[in-house]
Amino acid sequence: MSEETVPQQGGGEARPKGLLQQMEELMAALNADLSALDAELQAAGTNRWAPPAANERMPEPPEGPGGL
């Protein structure tokens, strides 16, 4: 199977990036974005929801407009 290449935007004489290199760069950018989001959420004091252990019951939903 051959490696596909996509020309870079902006022109220039740079060599086109391979598909693997593009995926690695996208994954690095995604990881950076997720890390920044995680830091923002932790700074805001949000609680992370975790599923109950196998021997615990699911919590009851809140009552009111958002509840069942």
Side-chain angles (χ1 to χ4, degrees), residues 3 41 43 45 59 61:
E3 185 176 304
L41 291 174

Side-chain angles (χ1 to χ4, degrees), residues 5-26:
T5 58
V6 177
Q8 289 180 320
Q9 294 180 354
E13 297 295 319
R15 190 172 142 206
K17 296 179 184 177
L19 186 57
L20 180 60
Q21 184 180 357
Q22 287 179 330
M23 291 301 294
E24 288 173 345
E25 290 174 2
L26 288 171

Side-chain angles (χ1 to χ4, degrees), residues 11 18 37 45 49:
L37 177 60
W49 181 83

Side-chain angles (χ1 to χ4, degrees), residues 36-46 48:
L37 177 60
D38 184 46
E40 287 178 27
L41 291 174
Q42 287 185 12
T46 58
R48 293 185 179 199

